[in-house]
Amino acid sequence: MHRRTFLAGLAGLAVAEPAAAKMKHDMSGMSGHGNTIPLAGTNPVLLEGKPLTALPRLANQSAVPSLFKAELAAEPGFMRFAEGFDTPVLLYNGTNPVIEAREGDKVEISFKNGIPGEPTTIHWHGMPVPADQDGNPGDPVAPGGERIYAFDLPESSAASYWFHPHPHGLTAEQVYRGLAGVFIVKPKDDPIPPEYGDTILMLTDLRIAADGTMPESTMADLMNGRIGDHVLVNGQKNPAMAAALGEKRRFRLYNATNARFLRLRFENVSMTVIGTDGGLIEAPVAVDELLLTPAERVELIVSFDKPGAAKLTTLDYERGWMGPGKPDEAGMVLLTANVSEEAAAAMPPLPAKLRAIEPLGSPVVTRRFVLTESMSGDNDGTSMQGMDHSGMNMPSGSMGMKFLINGASFEMNRIDEVSKAGQVELWEIVNDADMDHPFHVHGTQFQIVEHEKDGKVTAPSYRAWKDTVNVVGGETVRILLRQDLPGPRMYHCHILEHEQLGMMGIVDVKA
Ligand SMILES: [Cu+2]
């Protein structure tokens, strides 16, 4: 660890706002034209309490059974988060539609990059897709370029996946500017009663300036990951929904933020976990609260057992904040359900068994990944220019800040590990740093064996498929995993700014 130098470097970050963004703020205050521009320093008031809207679906253009075929384009657009402001964003097809397919389907997505001047990719987060279809940083689609992403959805792959850009050096920015979508793979036989519905709650993080635009990231954002001012659900601030007393609902929660740790509580309801990143768990587990770290998903059954307001709120979580400006994360209301006095029609019970998850078995290889943070001493104050507007020079240039795996910063042309398809491996992820780092592996789902901190070993209380696991500062997490498809796969911290500043590696899976 290099905590001392790391924090010393932060002393210079008190004025963390990039000059360009600061100027924009000041100017918007001075110009003050009409009633749409508030005073400098006051941010737009977001529309709140509107009915929760379902995200639109991407229509299947194929008439062939078991083929899902559609087009996606990443392009600039606008979102109206606050009255009077059209915030420039990046979106898939103008709306970030949900893709819903079924186990056994073939998927064929024709993709067009409509982002001016920037390469991009689509990474299918958590999905068992071939390496050359997975939107790796090494396979960029040039601005104006097109390609087809094609893959099969195997049996037993039903889960709450998502998709987002993964271009080298631009992932963090393209995601906070809006690019992310939900990809649900439905099972052939769903054990969850259809009466519960299937409601997606996609959680994103928005920072909006006085002029309605999204400010560029600051040095503090790069350090900690970018945290916004508002956590949105399906793009809405604290939307409202109605529920009848005793009603049960199925929710899929997505942490699609760049860096926000969401410790969540749902007041006045009973909450049961039924699924994780890689689909259903074996049996329902009742919980009072849950921690959803960046890129994680959870499936819940929520039972509205008390009349009145049932609010989904955030609790405080200590994830290791560097420098000034730690946001107050507790007490945000993300969603309000208004539960009627009138009882719902009787609903079928939740089955006691959901599915079987076979243990992965004994590993034949053990790998160790040590996560560290460092700040080199060669910062002369001028290298802030490394954070240019395109973000292209950001990964290695920003004030010498580095987020490392096994002492190395990500190199596109370096293979860090060589593995073999079909081989069960034990990965030991050691967080020798001050912050929590949510660790993600592409192309597969893994099983958590145990967490170890200060000599105390804890095994998870239930078996689950995961593609992202939070590794607390000072903690070691051991996971079992198997890659079934050959090719290069990324593993990285899913605080996207950390990924961008080097905390990523490549495992080449041989056939
Ligand atoms: Cu990290």
Side-chain angles (χ1 to χ4, degrees):
M1 274 189 287
H2 308 270
R3 188 180 177 95
R4 183 156 300 165
T5 48
F6 204 70
L7 289 175
L10 278 171
L13 298 182
V15 184
E17 203 172 21
K22 187 164 190 314
M23 218 155 75
K24 233 185 277 174
H25 283 201
D26 295 349
M27 282 171 63
S28 69
M30 288 188 313
S31 59
H33 39 90
N35 50 13
T36 58
I37 307 282
L39 295 171
T42 62
N43 282 344
V45 176
L46 265 63
L47 306 168
E48 199 171 337
K50 304 269 182 198
L52 174 70
T53 54
L55 296 168
R57 302 274 159 157
L58 185 62
N60 185 2
Q61 295 170 355
S62 157
V64 179
S66 301
L67 173 65
F68 186 95
K69 198 173 172 176
E71 290 164 11
L72 275 183
E75 53 206 3
F78 292 94
M79 287 277 285
R80 179 152 285 206
F81 298 109
E83 203 59 67
F85 295 94
D86 286 318
T87 301
V89 294
L90 296 175
L91 295 165
Y92 293 113
N93 292 9
T95 60
N96 284 345
V98 173
I99 303 178
E100 184 179 310
R102 288 167 73 85
E103 289 175 346
D105 281 358
K106 279 186 180 306
V107 177
E108 204 180 295
I109 304 288
S110 301
F111 175 62
K112 183 169 195 299
N113 177 8
I115 309 171
E118 294 182 14
T120 192
T121 75
I122 303 183
H123 168 55
W124 310 98
H125 185 115
M127 302 186 69
V129 315
D132 61 358
Q133 305 299 309
D134 204 17
N136 280 336
D139 296 319
V141 180
E146 297 180 30
R147 71 157 284 169
I148 292 172
Y149 290 104
F151 46 87
D152 298 335
L153 300 171
E155 298 302 321
S156 304
S157 63
S160 308
Y161 305 110
W162 60 302
F163 56 98
H164 63 76
H166 217 307
H168 185 51
L170 287 166
T171 300
E173 187 186 334
Q174 289 185 1
V175 173
Y176 83 65
R177 287 169 72 192
L179 287 173
V182 163
F183 196 131
I184 291 181
V185 178
K186 287 275 198 180
K188 292 225 162 99
D189 294 300
D190 198 335
I192 309 303
E195 289 85 347
Y196 296 6
D198 195 342
T199 305
I200 295 165
L201 302 179
M202 188 189 190
L203 308 174
T204 56
D205 206 358
L206 172 71
R207 185 184 305 158
I208 187 167
D211 63 357
T213 63
M214 292 179 182
E216 286 173 47
S217 281
T218 64
M219 296 309 288
D221 291 333
L222 299 183
M223 193 77 72
N224 293 291
R226 181 184 172 105
I227 302 292
D229 303 318
H230 310 275
V231 176
L232 305 180
V233 177
N234 298 351
Q236 299 173 280
K237 178 155 181 171
N238 184 19
M241 57 172 283
L245 188 61
E247 187 177 341
K248 290 185 196 330
R249 294 279 290 260
R250 178 189 200 166
F251 289 103
R252 296 179 196 252
L253 273 64
Y254 281 74
N255 187 336
T257 69
N258 276 41
R260 194 183 277 270
F261 286 62
L262 293 164
R263 187 177 152 218
L264 301 172
R265 203 177 109 99
F266 213 142
E267 293 166 359
N268 292 326
V269 306
S270 48
M271 197 160 70
T272 305
V273 173
I274 58 163
T276 55
D277 304 337
L280 295 176
I281 54 177
E282 294 187 293
V285 176
V287 295
D288 292 323
E289 58 169 75
L290 58 97
L291 178 67
L292 202 63
T293 68
E296 284 189 303
R297 290 87 67 208
V298 68
E299 276 188 76
L300 296 175
I301 302 300
V302 170
S303 183
F304 295 99
D305 297 332
K306 292 179 190 158
K311 292 177 179 174
L312 179 65
T313 61
T314 58
L315 299 168
D316 202 21
Y317 179 74
E318 187 49 66
R319 49 88 143 203
W321 188 266
M322 289 287 175
K326 183 184 186 300
D328 186 9
E329 295 187 293
M332 299 179 92
V333 182
L334 306 188
L335 169 76
T336 303
N338 298 301
V339 185
S340 68
E341 300 275 349
E342 205 169 315
M347 287 211 157
L350 181 62
K353 282 203 180 307
L354 304 176
R355 71 155 162 176
I357 295 178
E358 295 301 322
L360 271 172
S362 301
V364 296
V365 170
T366 297
R367 298 181 201 278
R368 188 176 158 89
F369 301 91
V370 181
L371 313 181
T372 54
E373 300 146 0
S374 85
M375 180 170 258
S376 61
D378 56 9
N379 168 37
D380 59 2
T382 58
S383 52
M384 208 159 154
Q385 288 161 354
M387 196 180 64
D388 69 353
H389 288 208
S390 73
M392 292 300 283
N393 298 325
M394 212 164 65
S396 55
S398 321
M399 292 186 64
M401 292 182 315
K402 291 262 164 86
F403 293 86
L404 309 173
I405 302 180
N406 292 342
S409 188
F410 175 69
E411 287 281 349
M412 183 91 92
N413 298 315
R414 185 190 66 223
I415 301 294
D416 296 280
E417 306 282 337
V418 177
S419 172
K420 202 169 157 33
Q423 165 174 287
V424 177
E425 306 193 348
L426 179 73
W427 283 25
E428 195 168 51
I429 306 133
V430 181
N431 187 344
D432 196 10
D434 295 305
M435 286 183 235
D436 288 15
H437 294 288
F439 189 84
H440 169 53
V441 185
H442 287 200
T444 192
Q445 293 285 327
F446 53 74
Q447 294 177 357
I448 298 169
V449 179
E450 60 193 20
H451 294 252
E452 179 175 350
K453 194 176 182 199
D454 303 326
K456 189 170 173 256
V457 178
T458 327
S461 56
Y462 54 89
R463 199 176 292 143
W465 290 115
K466 296 279 295 164
D467 57 54
T468 307
V469 60
N470 187 41
V471 189
V472 170
E475 185 185 52
T476 294
V477 174
R478 296 183 183 89
I479 62 176
L480 284 173
L481 94 175
R482 192 185 68 215
Q483 293 279 4
D484 288 330
L485 301 171
R489 299 290 185 174
M490 326 303 293
Y491 51 88
H492 62 90
C493 175
H494 222 286
I495 290 178
L496 293 176
E497 288 75 10
H498 292 174
E499 174 263 318
Q500 198 145 320
L501 290 173
M503 198 174 263
M504 177 155 68
I506 300 175
V507 54
D508 192 14
V509 182
K510 299 293 185 189

